[in-house]
Amino acid sequence: MNKAGNAQNPTHPGEIIKEEIERKNLTQRLVAKWTGMPFPVLNEIVKGKRPLTEKTALVFNAALGISAERLMSLQTKYNLHKLRNDAKFREKLEAVSEQRRNLH
């Protein structure tokens, strides 16, 4: 996937981190060591299996020079996309919207 992603399939920030690690000819193990992050945690982020936190975004900014704000923006878009595509959560949103409509 490209770095921008799209509205239908947003990019998990781990993809950007992985691309930057590869572009700089580093290894995940080395980056984990630099950052003090356990390797399995970094690897799960890179694979898109773990969300980025504000703290880890700042750590990746310091280690790789990737904007923490950009990473968090990607994470937010990714999270919203996942929630909007979660059938159970969509049902809840529809129920809440119905309640709001019934108030008027």
Side-chain angles (χ1 to χ4, degrees), residues 12-13 17 37 41 45 50-60 68 71-72 75 79:
H12 186 282
I17 295 163
M37 187 178 301
V41 171
I45 291 170
R50 179 184 286 255
L52 209 61
T53 65
E54 293 83 356
K55 196 179 281 189
T56 53
L58 288 168
V59 168
F60 286 121
L71 291 174
M72 289 310 302
Q75 185 67 59
N79 292 349

Side-chain angles (χ1 to χ4, degrees), residues 14-32:
E15 291 184 44
I16 304 306
I17 295 163
K18 180 181 180 196
E19 288 175 6
E20 194 62 21
I21 289 170
E22 291 171 355
R23 190 182 73 72
K24 293 180 186 258
N25 294 316
L26 302 171
T27 65
Q28 288 182 36
R29 289 202 184 277
L30 179 61
V31 173

